[in-house]
């Protein structure tokens, strides 16, 4: 088995090409591959295939589908797959697994995180209990210019050009919805409003959780979404307060669009423009990987509870994120609500990231 650099002429994006190494594997090399639910994975893959075949515009543009992936997508839509064995044969026939590394010869070089769709209380009008606006994307008279930074936006810099979709409890809830890229908001009349990513201000993303770890405010082992929220609220969210200043360290600001469709069984809309599926959808670097590509993710993660256990699953690239950069980087979608958020927040682990490339695009063994 040899490590082969990703061929420049077939790379879907330009970022990190020189650092991208692929080690050709066989499906027999993927531990527990036979124990996965291939039919479930195929059904999720087929949703990506429908978007590819229909040339559906994604919410966030990424590397275009190659001719080989287009052909596979059309084949998947034509084929009637009802049994797990059929689904497994489809993947094994059309794809070849390749371990992704940042450098030649490295194993378990991938880095995995988790994300989720928050479900929060909100109001269609500002009130005493709901004071933080979640904003639509404003019209930008100069499309090439970035919007202001987070601190300026929160101070009202684009107030006349942007309207609040809903109002949340505080800026912590808004901040976390922005980091996750989606949210469901439960209104006073019982309606659920789904909010989808609609763009960002163009400034770089900074992990404020990492800042607290690096400065010794919170031990890395103790970091979670709950402890992060607690720290910010304990240190204040008013102008000049430590909590507010910490959030302002992340200059990136995400805008949303409302979607009335909010079936509980359907996940939020990801970067590909389709609904995500818990523990089957992943976010990847869109400058490197094409939406719809299958990935085999193998690691020991606390994905079922507090203690790590084997995670061996076939995942589909259906989303992206500002913090998801690099070839061997995957963000696992855990679902919606507080439980999903608690599990997703505990994922910061090394793992094996294996891309399933169309057979004709895979490097030689």
């Amino acid at each position: 088995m040899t490590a082969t650099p990703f061929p420049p002429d077939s790379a879907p994006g330009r970022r990190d090409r020189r650092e991208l190494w692929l080690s050709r594997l066989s499906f027999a090399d993927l531990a527990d591959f036979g124990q996965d639910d291939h039919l479930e994975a195929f059904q999720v893959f087929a949703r990506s295939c429908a978007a590819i075949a229909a040339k559906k515009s994604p919410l966030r543009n990424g590397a275009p589908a190659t001719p080989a992936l287009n052909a596979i997508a059309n084949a998947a839509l034509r084929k009637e797959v009802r049994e797990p064995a059929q689904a497994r044969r489809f993947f094994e026939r059309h794809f070849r697994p390749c371990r992704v590394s940042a450098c030649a010869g490295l194993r378990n070089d991938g880095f995995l995180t988790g994300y989720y769709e928050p479900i929060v209380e909100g109001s269609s009008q500002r009130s005493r209990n709901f004071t933080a606006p979640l904003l639509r994307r404003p019209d930008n008279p100069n499309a090439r210019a970035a919007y202001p930074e987070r601190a300026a936006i929160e101070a009202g810099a684009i107030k006349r050009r942007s309207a609040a979709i809903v109002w949340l409890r505080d800026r912590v809830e808004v901040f976390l919805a922005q980091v996750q890229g989606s949210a469901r908001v439960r209104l006073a009349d019982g309606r659920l409003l789904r909010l989808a990513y609609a763009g960002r201000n163009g400034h770089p993303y900074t992990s404020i959780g990492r800042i607290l770890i690096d400065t010794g405010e919170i031990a890395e082992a103790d970091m979670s979404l709950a402890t992060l929220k607690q720290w910010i609220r304990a240190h204040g969210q008013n102008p000049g307060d430590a909590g507010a200043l910490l959030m302002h360290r992340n200059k990136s600001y995400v805008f949303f669009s409302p979607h009335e469709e909010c079936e509980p069984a359907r996940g939020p809309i990801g970067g590909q423009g389709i609904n995500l599926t818990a523990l089957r959808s992943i976010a990847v670097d869109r400058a490197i990987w094409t939406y719809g590509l299958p990935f085999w993710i193998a690691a020991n993660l606390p994905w079922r509870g507090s203690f790590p256990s084997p995670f061996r699953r076939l995942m589909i690239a259906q989303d992206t994120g500002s913090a998801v950069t690099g070839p061997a980087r995957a963000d696992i979608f855990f679902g919606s609500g507080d439980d999903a958020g608690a599990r997703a927040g505990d994922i910061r682990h090394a793992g094996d990231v294996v891309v399933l490339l169309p057979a004709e695009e895979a490097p030689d063994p």
Side-chain angles (χ1 to χ4, degrees), residues 271-329:
Q272 192 180 10
I274 62 175
N275 295 93
L276 303 178
T277 302
L279 300 176
R280 287 293 176 191
S281 299
I282 55 172
V284 296
D285 189 331
R286 61 185 173 135
I288 299 173
W289 304 116
T290 303
Y291 293 130
L293 277 176
F295 284 76
W296 177 253
I297 303 296
N300 289 324
L301 308 176
W303 63 294
R304 286 175 166 153
S306 301
F307 300 99
S309 61
F311 183 96
R312 312 279 190 271
R313 293 175 73 87
L314 192 55
M315 314 290 286
I316 312 300
Q318 297 179 326
D319 203 2
T320 191
S322 301
V324 185
T325 58
R329 181 75 173 84

Side-chain angles (χ1 to χ4, degrees), residues 36-247:
D36 196 13
D37 187 340
H38 300 93
L39 181 59
E40 180 182 80
F42 181 87
Q43 291 168 342
V44 175
F45 173 66
R47 296 186 195 118
S48 283
C49 291
I52 292 171
K55 302 188 185 304
K56 178 181 174 67
S57 296
L59 283 183
R60 304 186 72 179
N61 290 328
T66 63
L69 185 58
N70 270 296
I72 294 172
N74 282 283
L77 296 176
R78 291 193 304 267
K79 191 170 183 63
E80 190 172 347
V81 176
R82 295 183 177 179
E83 301 293 335
Q86 290 177 290
R88 179 177 177 177
R89 286 194 297 270
F90 183 92
F91 286 118
E92 292 180 344
R93 176 184 176 185
H94 292 283
F95 293 99
R96 300 292 180 266
C98 300
R99 180 180 288 112
V100 183
S101 302
C103 298
L106 291 183
R107 294 192 53 153
N108 293 323
D109 190 39
F111 182 62
L112 309 173
T113 51
Y115 71 113
Y116 76 112
E117 180 188 40
I119 300 177
V120 296
E121 304 293 326
S123 171
S124 57
Q125 302 291 329
R126 182 186 174 100
S127 68
R128 182 178 63 180
N129 295 326
F130 299 102
T131 60
L134 211 156
L135 300 179
R136 297 177 185 269
R137 182 172 183 164
D139 292 332
N140 190 349
N142 185 351
R144 295 185 178 181
Y147 295 108
E149 298 176 1
R150 171 178 298 276
I153 291 175
E154 290 186 353
I158 60 172
K159 185 176 181 180
R160 293 184 179 181
R161 294 193 287 137
S162 181
I165 302 171
V166 291
W167 297 80
L168 304 187
R169 171 185 169 187
D170 59 15
R171 287 178 176 170
V172 174
E173 298 289 6
V174 171
F175 187 94
L176 291 179
Q178 292 175 322
V179 170
Q180 303 304 320
S182 66
R184 292 186 203 177
V185 181
R186 184 179 292 108
L187 302 175
D189 60 8
R191 287 184 300 127
L192 277 174
L193 179 65
R194 170 160 273 156
L195 300 171
Y197 176 95
R200 50 193 290 267
N201 63 344
H203 292 276
Y205 171 86
T206 299
S207 169
I208 62 172
R210 174 50 59 184
I211 291 173
L212 292 180
I213 292 171
D214 291 344
T215 56
E217 290 288 337
I218 299 177
E220 186 161 12
D222 297 330
M223 176 56 72
S224 67
L225 289 175
T227 55
L228 177 61
K229 291 166 70 172
Q230 182 180 20
W231 192 98
I232 296 172
R233 286 173 174 151
H235 289 78
Q237 300 176 64
N238 293 320
D241 288 344
L245 293 174
L246 176 68
M247 289 190 288

